[in-house]
Amino acid sequence: MPPSPSNALTASSILEAAKALVRRFGETKTNMVDIGRALGVSHAALYRLYRSKGAIMDAIVEEAMRDEEALAVAHVAGDGPAADRLLAMLLDLHRRKRERFIGDREIHDLYRRILVERPDMIAAYAERMTALIARLIAQAVERGEWKVDDVDIASGVVRDAVTVFIHPALVAQLIMADAPIETMLRDTVATLSRAFQAGVDYRSPA
């Protein structure tokens, strides 16, 4: 039974109703009327919180991005060697994307569309995640685990090196190809970590 209108109309309840409909019918067959009906309210009432269906779809993906960011924050704030925390963070992020592709395909496909159509959202997400990687690298430098003279450059290098294991479209391709993804990810992180441990001087001429 749908919730009563007095209790239904929150941003969270709208997103939950929209996700349920997307999972059942797909994004293209989900509309504002259906979302309102699922909540027991007129679709016109939804516009007080979201200006359009597109805004709701964006918010669903933003919610997923914030969930991934929180997952990464937990590793950055944790204890242990930086190399171990970086690997654990990236494995968890990859597994979250993998689970979505295998078990939540409609939301995965929505995420992929947003990647193409909302570069502003993706740029902001990438900036936040790169900043978290930079924090982890800075911690390692301060503790003497790694020797890196430019944390910002190093964080960008890590981001670019591991994007193939995190980007929804690329994760899908690797899964479909039955690639040994986690082994590849472990090898990539090991290479980066050993380079940082040996010392990387970005400011010196090549």
Side-chain angles (χ1 to χ4, degrees), residues 130-155:
T130 305
L132 289 172
I133 295 171
R135 279 176 51 190
L136 190 151
I137 295 173
Q139 292 169 2
V141 172
E142 290 169 5
R143 297 172 185 177
E145 298 175 37
W146 291 344
K147 297 184 285 290
V148 175
D149 70 339
D150 194 315
V151 169
D152 290 335
I153 293 177
S155 63

PDB file of all heavy atoms in Angstrom, residues 130-155:
ATOM      1  N   THR A 130      39.221  12.409  -6.636  1.00  0.00           N
ATOM      2  CA  THR A 130      40.654  12.676  -6.775  1.00  0.00           C
ATOM      3  C   THR A 130      41.191  13.362  -5.533  1.00  0.00           C
ATOM      4  O   THR A 130      42.319  13.093  -5.095  1.00  0.00           O
ATOM      5  CB  THR A 130      40.921  13.544  -8.023  1.00  0.00           C
ATOM      6  OG1 THR A 130      40.349  12.913  -9.176  1.00  0.00           O
ATOM      7  CG2 THR A 130      42.414  13.720  -8.262  1.00  0.00           C
ATOM      8  N   ALA A 131      40.397  14.244  -4.943  1.00  0.00           N
ATOM      9  CA  ALA A 131      40.810  14.905  -3.705  1.00  0.00           C
ATOM     10  C   ALA A 131      40.990  13.896  -2.576  1.00  0.00           C
ATOM     11  O   ALA A 131      41.896  14.040  -1.738  1.00  0.00           O
ATOM     12  CB  ALA A 131      39.785  15.966  -3.315  1.00  0.00           C
ATOM     13  N   LEU A 132      40.153  12.865  -2.536  1.00  0.00           N
ATOM     14  CA  LEU A 132      40.307  11.834  -1.514  1.00  0.00           C
ATOM     15  C   LEU A 132      41.585  11.030  -1.732  1.00  0.00           C
ATOM     16  O   LEU A 132      42.295  10.696  -0.775  1.00  0.00           O
ATOM     17  CB  LEU A 132      39.085  10.911  -1.515  1.00  0.00           C
ATOM     18  CG  LEU A 132      37.794  11.530  -0.989  1.00  0.00           C
ATOM     19  CD1 LEU A 132      36.613  10.598  -1.212  1.00  0.00           C
ATOM     20  CD2 LEU A 132      37.929  11.868   0.489  1.00  0.00           C
ATOM     21  N   ILE A 133      41.877  10.714  -2.991  1.00  0.00           N
ATOM     22  CA  ILE A 133      43.126  10.021  -3.294  1.00  0.00           C
ATOM     23  C   ILE A 133      44.315  10.894  -2.879  1.00  0.00           C
ATOM     24  O   ILE A 133      45.301  10.406  -2.316  1.00  0.00           O
ATOM     25  CB  ILE A 133      43.209   9.670  -4.786  1.00  0.00           C
ATOM     26  CG1 ILE A 133      42.120   8.659  -5.158  1.00  0.00           C
ATOM     27  CG2 ILE A 133      44.590   9.107  -5.145  1.00  0.00           C
ATOM     28  CD1 ILE A 133      41.992   8.410  -6.652  1.00  0.00           C
ATOM     29  N   ALA A 134      44.221  12.193  -3.135  1.00  0.00           N
ATOM     30  CA  ALA A 134      45.293  13.114  -2.753  1.00  0.00           C
ATOM     31  C   ALA A 134      45.490  13.117  -1.235  1.00  0.00           C
ATOM     32  O   ALA A 134      46.630  13.168  -0.751  1.00  0.00           O
ATOM     33  CB  ALA A 134      44.976  14.523  -3.261  1.00  0.00           C
ATOM     34  N   ARG A 135      44.394  13.072  -0.487  1.00  0.00           N
ATOM     35  CA  ARG A 135      44.505  13.025   0.976  1.00  0.00           C
ATOM     36  C   ARG A 135      45.244  11.780   1.427  1.00  0.00           C
ATOM     37  O   ARG A 135      46.109  11.834   2.315  1.00  0.00           O
ATOM     38  CB  ARG A 135      43.118  13.057   1.622  1.00  0.00           C
ATOM     39  CG  ARG A 135      42.501  14.439   1.740  1.00  0.00           C
ATOM     40  CD  ARG A 135      41.092  14.367   2.303  1.00  0.00           C
ATOM     41  NE  ARG A 135      41.001  13.592   3.532  1.00  0.00           N
ATOM     42  CZ  ARG A 135      39.858  13.226   4.102  1.00  0.00           C
ATOM     43  NH1 ARG A 135      38.702  13.561   3.536  1.00  0.00           N
ATOM     44  NH2 ARG A 135      39.857  12.532   5.220  1.00  0.00           N
ATOM     45  N   LEU A 136      44.942  10.650   0.811  1.00  0.00           N
ATOM     46  CA  LEU A 136      45.595   9.398   1.177  1.00  0.00           C
ATOM     47  C   LEU A 136      47.087   9.466   0.844  1.00  0.00           C
ATOM     48  O   LEU A 136      47.936   9.041   1.638  1.00  0.00           O
ATOM     49  CB  LEU A 136      44.917   8.232   0.460  1.00  0.00           C
ATOM     50  CG  LEU A 136      45.306   6.826   0.890  1.00  0.00           C
ATOM     51  CD1 LEU A 136      44.137   5.868   0.670  1.00  0.00           C
ATOM     52  CD2 LEU A 136      46.524   6.323   0.142  1.00  0.00           C
ATOM     53  N   ILE A 137      47.418   9.996  -0.329  1.00  0.00           N
ATOM     54  CA  ILE A 137      48.829  10.118  -0.718  1.00  0.00           C
ATOM     55  C   ILE A 137      49.558  11.068   0.228  1.00  0.00           C
ATOM     56  O   ILE A 137      50.688  10.796   0.649  1.00  0.00           O
ATOM     57  CB  ILE A 137      48.946  10.590  -2.171  1.00  0.00           C
ATOM     58  CG1 ILE A 137      48.382   9.522  -3.130  1.00  0.00           C
ATOM     59  CG2 ILE A 137      50.410  10.888  -2.532  1.00  0.00           C
ATOM     60  CD1 ILE A 137      48.296   9.978  -4.575  1.00  0.00           C
ATOM     61  N   ALA A 138      48.924  12.175   0.560  1.00  0.00           N
ATOM     62  CA  ALA A 138      49.544  13.136   1.478  1.00  0.00           C
ATOM     63  C   ALA A 138      49.829  12.489   2.835  1.00  0.00           C
ATOM     64  O   ALA A 138      50.873  12.742   3.454  1.00  0.00           O
ATOM     65  CB  ALA A 138      48.644  14.361   1.640  1.00  0.00           C
ATOM     66  N   GLN A 139      48.903  11.663   3.311  1.00  0.00           N
ATOM     67  CA  GLN A 139      49.126  10.944   4.564  1.00  0.00           C
ATOM     68  C   GLN A 139      50.362  10.059   4.460  1.00  0.00           C
ATOM     69  O   GLN A 139      51.191  10.007   5.384  1.00  0.00           O
ATOM     70  CB  GLN A 139      47.900  10.091   4.906  1.00  0.00           C
ATOM     71  CG  GLN A 139      46.655  10.872   5.274  1.00  0.00           C
ATOM     72  CD  GLN A 139      45.421   9.979   5.326  1.00  0.00           C
ATOM     73  OE1 GLN A 139      45.503   8.770   5.115  1.00  0.00           O
ATOM     74  NE2 GLN A 139      44.268  10.578   5.590  1.00  0.00           N
ATOM     75  N   ALA A 140      50.478   9.348   3.332  1.00  0.00           N
ATOM     76  CA  ALA A 140      51.615   8.444   3.140  1.00  0.00           C
ATOM     77  C   ALA A 140      52.931   9.213   3.098  1.00  0.00           C
ATOM     78  O   ALA A 140      53.950   8.750   3.637  1.00  0.00           O
ATOM     79  CB  ALA A 140      51.428   7.645   1.852  1.00  0.00           C
ATOM     80  N   VAL A 141      52.911  10.377   2.481  1.00  0.00           N
ATOM     81  CA  VAL A 141      54.118  11.202   2.422  1.00  0.00           C
ATOM     82  C   VAL A 141      54.492  11.695   3.820  1.00  0.00           C
ATOM     83  O   VAL A 141      55.660  11.649   4.223  1.00  0.00           O
ATOM     84  CB  VAL A 141      53.913  12.386   1.450  1.00  0.00           C
ATOM     85  CG1 VAL A 141      55.080  13.368   1.536  1.00  0.00           C
ATOM     86  CG2 VAL A 141      53.749  11.882   0.017  1.00  0.00           C
ATOM     87  N   GLU A 142      53.510  12.154   4.568  1.00  0.00           N
ATOM     88  CA  GLU A 142      53.767  12.656   5.913  1.00  0.00           C
ATOM     89  C   GLU A 142      54.317  11.567   6.824  1.00  0.00           C
ATOM     90  O   GLU A 142      55.146  11.837   7.714  1.00  0.00           O
ATOM     91  CB  GLU A 142      52.469  13.215   6.508  1.00  0.00           C
ATOM     92  CG  GLU A 142      52.002  14.510   5.847  1.00  0.00           C
ATOM     93  CD  GLU A 142      50.594  14.900   6.256  1.00  0.00           C
ATOM     94  OE1 GLU A 142      50.019  14.195   7.129  1.00  0.00           O
ATOM     95  OE2 GLU A 142      50.069  15.893   5.713  1.00  0.00           O
ATOM     96  N   ARG A 143      53.875  10.335   6.612  1.00  0.00           N
ATOM     97  CA  ARG A 143      54.328   9.219   7.446  1.00  0.00           C
ATOM     98  C   ARG A 143      55.632   8.601   6.949  1.00  0.00           C
ATOM     99  O   ARG A 143      56.154   7.668   7.563  1.00  0.00           O
ATOM    100  CB  ARG A 143      53.242   8.141   7.498  1.00  0.00           C
ATOM    101  CG  ARG A 143      51.938   8.602   8.138  1.00  0.00           C
ATOM    102  CD  ARG A 143      50.854   7.552   7.985  1.00  0.00           C
ATOM    103  NE  ARG A 143      49.574   8.043   8.486  1.00  0.00           N
ATOM    104  CZ  ARG A 143      48.434   7.344   8.422  1.00  0.00           C
ATOM    105  NH1 ARG A 143      48.439   6.132   7.879  1.00  0.00           N
ATOM    106  NH2 ARG A 143      47.309   7.854   8.889  1.00  0.00           N
ATOM    107  N   GLY A 144      56.116   9.065   5.819  1.00  0.00           N
ATOM    108  CA  GLY A 144      57.353   8.537   5.275  1.00  0.00           C
ATOM    109  C   GLY A 144      57.196   7.233   4.512  1.00  0.00           C
ATOM    110  O   GLY A 144      58.191   6.582   4.178  1.00  0.00           O
ATOM    111  N   GLU A 145      55.947   6.854   4.196  1.00  0.00           N
ATOM    112  CA  GLU A 145      55.730   5.620   3.444  1.00  0.00           C
ATOM    113  C   GLU A 145      56.050   5.803   1.968  1.00  0.00           C
ATOM    114  O   GLU A 145      56.577   4.887   1.324  1.00  0.00           O
ATOM    115  CB  GLU A 145      54.272   5.166   3.595  1.00  0.00           C
ATOM    116  CG  GLU A 145      53.860   4.833   5.013  1.00  0.00           C
ATOM    117  CD  GLU A 145      52.377   4.497   5.106  1.00  0.00           C
ATOM    118  OE1 GLU A 145      51.844   3.862   4.172  1.00  0.00           O
ATOM    119  OE2 GLU A 145      51.746   4.889   6.101  1.00  0.00           O
ATOM    120  N   TRP A 146      55.670   6.965   1.439  1.00  0.00           N
ATOM    121  CA  TRP A 146      55.900   7.264   0.027  1.00  0.00           C
ATOM    122  C   TRP A 146      56.674   8.564  -0.101  1.00  0.00           C
ATOM    123  O   TRP A 146      56.603   9.444   0.767  1.00  0.00           O
ATOM    124  CB  TRP A 146      54.569   7.390  -0.721  1.00  0.00           C
ATOM    125  CG  TRP A 146      53.821   6.091  -0.874  1.00  0.00           C
ATOM    126  CD1 TRP A 146      54.316   4.829  -0.707  1.00  0.00           C
ATOM    127  CD2 TRP A 146      52.443   5.926  -1.215  1.00  0.00           C
ATOM    128  NE1 TRP A 146      53.344   3.888  -0.931  1.00  0.00           N
ATOM    129  CE2 TRP A 146      52.179   4.539  -1.245  1.00  0.00           C
ATOM    130  CE3 TRP A 146      51.429   6.824  -1.505  1.00  0.00           C
ATOM    131  CZ2 TRP A 146      50.925   4.028  -1.554  1.00  0.00           C
ATOM    132  CZ3 TRP A 146      50.176   6.305  -1.814  1.00  0.00           C
ATOM    133  CH2 TRP A 146      49.924   4.929  -1.846  1.00  0.00           C
ATOM    134  N   LYS A 147      57.388   8.686  -1.221  1.00  0.00           N
ATOM    135  CA  LYS A 147      58.132   9.903  -1.519  1.00  0.00           C
ATOM    136  C   LYS A 147      57.595  10.466  -2.841  1.00  0.00           C
ATOM    137  O   LYS A 147      57.903   9.949  -3.913  1.00  0.00           O
ATOM    138  CB  LYS A 147      59.631   9.610  -1.620  1.00  0.00           C
ATOM    139  CG  LYS A 147      60.244   9.106  -0.316  1.00  0.00           C
ATOM    140  CD  LYS A 147      61.733   8.921  -0.405  1.00  0.00           C
ATOM    141  CE  LYS A 147      62.104   7.670  -1.203  1.00  0.00           C
ATOM    142  NZ  LYS A 147      61.761   6.424  -0.501  1.00  0.00           N
ATOM    143  N   VAL A 148      56.778  11.489  -2.728  1.00  0.00           N
ATOM    144  CA  VAL A 148      56.135  12.118  -3.882  1.00  0.00           C
ATOM    145  C   VAL A 148      56.252  13.627  -3.702  1.00  0.00           C
ATOM    146  O   VAL A 148      55.867  14.152  -2.653  1.00  0.00           O
ATOM    147  CB  VAL A 148      54.647  11.714  -3.985  1.00  0.00           C
ATOM    148  CG1 VAL A 148      53.954  12.466  -5.104  1.00  0.00           C
ATOM    149  CG2 VAL A 148      54.518  10.209  -4.197  1.00  0.00           C
ATOM    150  N   ASP A 149      56.781  14.316  -4.703  1.00  0.00           N
ATOM    151  CA  ASP A 149      56.990  15.756  -4.534  1.00  0.00           C
ATOM    152  C   ASP A 149      55.795  16.602  -4.952  1.00  0.00           C
ATOM    153  O   ASP A 149      55.738  17.790  -4.653  1.00  0.00           O
ATOM    154  CB  ASP A 149      58.251  16.215  -5.285  1.00  0.00           C
ATOM    155  CG  ASP A 149      58.088  16.168  -6.791  1.00  0.00           C
ATOM    156  OD1 ASP A 149      57.202  15.425  -7.272  1.00  0.00           O
ATOM    157  OD2 ASP A 149      58.837  16.864  -7.492  1.00  0.00           O
ATOM    158  N   ASP A 150      54.811  16.000  -5.616  1.00  0.00           N
ATOM    159  CA  ASP A 150      53.611  16.741  -6.010  1.00  0.00           C
ATOM    160  C   ASP A 150      52.403  15.826  -5.838  1.00  0.00           C
ATOM    161  O   ASP A 150      52.122  14.980  -6.699  1.00  0.00           O
ATOM    162  CB  ASP A 150      53.716  17.234  -7.458  1.00  0.00           C
ATOM    163  CG  ASP A 150      52.656  18.274  -7.797  1.00  0.00           C
ATOM    164  OD1 ASP A 150      51.484  18.046  -7.434  1.00  0.00           O
ATOM    165  OD2 ASP A 150      52.986  19.295  -8.429  1.00  0.00           O
ATOM    166  N   VAL A 151      51.722  15.999  -4.728  1.00  0.00           N
ATOM    167  CA  VAL A 151      50.592  15.131  -4.387  1.00  0.00           C
ATOM    168  C   VAL A 151      49.464  15.276  -5.402  1.00  0.00           C
ATOM    169  O   VAL A 151      48.801  14.279  -5.753  1.00  0.00           O
ATOM    170  CB  VAL A 151      50.091  15.445  -2.966  1.00  0.00           C
ATOM    171  CG1 VAL A 151      48.754  14.755  -2.686  1.00  0.00           C
ATOM    172  CG2 VAL A 151      51.128  15.014  -1.935  1.00  0.00           C
ATOM    173  N   ASP A 152      49.227  16.480  -5.893  1.00  0.00           N
ATOM    174  CA  ASP A 152      48.137  16.685  -6.846  1.00  0.00           C
ATOM    175  C   ASP A 152      48.377  15.925  -8.148  1.00  0.00           C
ATOM    176  O   ASP A 152      47.459  15.296  -8.699  1.00  0.00           O
ATOM    177  CB  ASP A 152      47.951  18.172  -7.139  1.00  0.00           C
ATOM    178  CG  ASP A 152      47.373  18.927  -5.947  1.00  0.00           C
ATOM    179  OD1 ASP A 152      46.706  18.288  -5.117  1.00  0.00           O
ATOM    180  OD2 ASP A 152      47.592  20.149  -5.865  1.00  0.00           O
ATOM    181  N   ILE A 153      49.600  15.982  -8.656  1.00  0.00           N
ATOM    182  CA  ILE A 153      49.909  15.239  -9.876  1.00  0.00           C
ATOM    183  C   ILE A 153      49.785  13.743  -9.621  1.00  0.00           C
ATOM    184  O   ILE A 153      49.192  12.998 -10.418  1.00  0.00           O
ATOM    185  CB  ILE A 153      51.322  15.578 -10.392  1.00  0.00           C
ATOM    186  CG1 ILE A 153      51.380  17.025 -10.865  1.00  0.00           C
ATOM    187  CG2 ILE A 153      51.712  14.628 -11.537  1.00  0.00           C
ATOM    188  CD1 ILE A 153      52.760  17.470 -11.325  1.00  0.00           C
ATOM    189  N   ALA A 154      50.325  13.288  -8.485  1.00  0.00           N
ATOM    190  CA  ALA A 154      50.274  11.859  -8.172  1.00  0.00           C
ATOM    191  C   ALA A 154      48.843  11.360  -8.065  1.00  0.00           C
ATOM    192  O   ALA A 154      48.517  10.265  -8.535  1.00  0.00           O
ATOM    193  CB  ALA A 154      51.032  11.593  -6.875  1.00  0.00           C
ATOM    194  N   SER A 155      47.964  12.158  -7.452  1.00  0.00           N
ATOM    195  CA  SER A 155      46.568  11.729  -7.326  1.00  0.00           C
ATOM    196  C   SER A 155      45.898  11.624  -8.681  1.00  0.00           C
ATOM    197  O   SER A 155      45.083  10.721  -8.922  1.00  0.00           O
ATOM    198  CB  SER A 155      45.795  12.687  -6.421  1.00  0.00           C
ATOM    199  OG  SER A 155      45.752  13.988  -6.969  1.00  0.00           O
TER     200      SER A 155
END
